[in-house]
């Protein structure tokens, strides 16, 4: 099986879709490759494209603070996106671009084996729940067991920057995520979904 450094190296050279043309850096993902919890955003933006790191701009700073509020650091978790290269003008990634990048996302999931995946915003939620009609406003706060892994849709931090009313629900979501994290880390079953 491909090692983690080999996977990273293969990703760095990827030209599987048109997004490769406009990128400065491939944003593979960052954090703990043995993380219990993985967070998946939409796509790298301007700052991430230059830094080669996910969530380093304003939305990223907010994400770091949200994690800190539940006593998690970026090094505890693994953070990535549905696609690894910045779409032009920060448009959402097209379905075929997401498809091209999907094997890398699957390879990260297979290597890290996180028990929990937080999907940040509509694009990541639709992609990971494999439901093009998934509505984030309806789904946030819920928990989905798929192939032995729990998925937690919540709002994207950029949405919180635009609409502070979303802060409270996201806080509720992360408190629940932290509770489940503690139980899974202790090898306990999760409490039934409310
Ligand atoms: N928004 C995302 O969805 N991902 C990033 O990495 C940064 C901003």
């Amino acid at each position: 099986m491909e090692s983690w450094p080999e996977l990273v190296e293969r990703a760095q050279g990827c030209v599987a879709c048109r997004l490769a043309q406009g990128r400065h850096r491939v944003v593979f993902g960052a954090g703990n490759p043995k993380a219990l919890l993985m967070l998946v955003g939409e796509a790298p933006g301007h700052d991430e494209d230059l830094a080669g790191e996910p969530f380093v701009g304003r939305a990223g700073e907010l994400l770091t603070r949200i994690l800190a509020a539940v006593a998690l650091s970026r090094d505890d978790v693994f953070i990535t996106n549905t696609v690894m290269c910045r779409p032009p003008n920060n448009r959402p990634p097209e379905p075929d671009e997401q498809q091209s990048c999907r094997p890398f996302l699957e390879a990260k999931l297979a290597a890290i084996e996180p028990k929990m995946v937080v999907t940040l915003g509509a694009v990541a939620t639709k992609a990971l729940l494999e439901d093009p009609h998934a509505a984030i406003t309806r789904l946030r706060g819920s928990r989905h067991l798929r192939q032995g892994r729990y998925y937690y849709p919540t709002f994207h931090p950029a949405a919180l920057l635009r609409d502070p009313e979303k802060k409270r629900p996201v806080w509720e979501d992360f408190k629940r995520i932290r509770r489940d994290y503690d139980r899974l880390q202790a090898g306990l079953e999760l409490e039934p979904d409310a």
Side-chain angles (χ1 to χ4, degrees):
M1 203 181 108
E2 186 177 40
S3 71
W4 184 255
E6 283 165 351
L7 174 64
V8 175
E9 196 184 320
R10 191 161 60 83
Q12 298 301 335
C14 180
V15 288
C17 83
R18 66 183 83 80
L19 296 183
Q21 290 158 21
R23 74 174 178 232
H24 287 96
R25 307 271 302 266
V26 171
V27 183
F28 177 78
N32 178 1
K34 301 245 180 300
L36 181 69
L37 171 63
M38 181 157 146
L39 296 106
V40 183
E42 180 174 322
H46 172 265
D47 298 320
E48 292 76 23
D49 175 56
L50 293 179
E53 291 263 323
F55 282 98
V56 292
R58 274 187 76 217
E61 282 169 21
L62 180 54
L63 180 61
T64 304
R65 278 190 276 133
I66 294 169
L67 289 169
V70 290
L72 288 169
S73 80
R74 290 172 64 109
D75 293 333
D76 293 321
V77 300
F78 191 82
I79 306 176
T80 190
N81 285 297
T82 65
V83 297
M84 299 187 293
C85 298
R86 182 194 183 197
N89 306 314
N90 296 338
R91 64 157 170 75
E94 303 277 358
D96 65 322
E97 295 159 354
Q98 292 183 45
Q99 267 325 103
S100 298
C101 225
R102 187 76 187 203
F104 283 107
L105 188 54
E106 296 295 340
K108 286 173 238 181
L109 285 165
I112 298 171
E113 294 187 300
K115 290 200 168 73
M116 309 170 71
V117 176
V118 176
T119 58
L120 300 165
V123 169
T125 300
K126 287 178 180 163
L128 284 149
L129 296 185
E130 295 184 269
D131 176 2
H133 305 295
I136 186 66
T137 329
R138 181 170 53 81
L139 285 176
R140 71 132 283 276
S142 58
R143 183 177 73 200
H144 304 259
L145 180 59
R146 286 169 63 89
Q147 289 147 8
R149 186 173 286 141
Y150 292 101
Y151 288 85
Y152 300 81
T154 192
F155 291 126
H156 192 288
L160 271 63
L161 292 172
R162 289 191 298 268
D163 177 8
E165 296 221 334
K166 294 197 164 75
K167 283 190 180 168
R168 166 62 53 185
V170 168
W171 170 235
E172 297 301 328
D173 293 347
F174 272 86
K175 276 195 295 188
R176 197 264 185 106
I177 289 162
R178 177 71 220 203
R179 265 199 313 275
D180 286 1
Y181 182 94
D182 288 338
R183 289 189 72 86
L184 290 171
Q185 205 173 35
L188 299 171
E189 296 284 309
L190 293 190
E191 290 147 354
D193 220 345

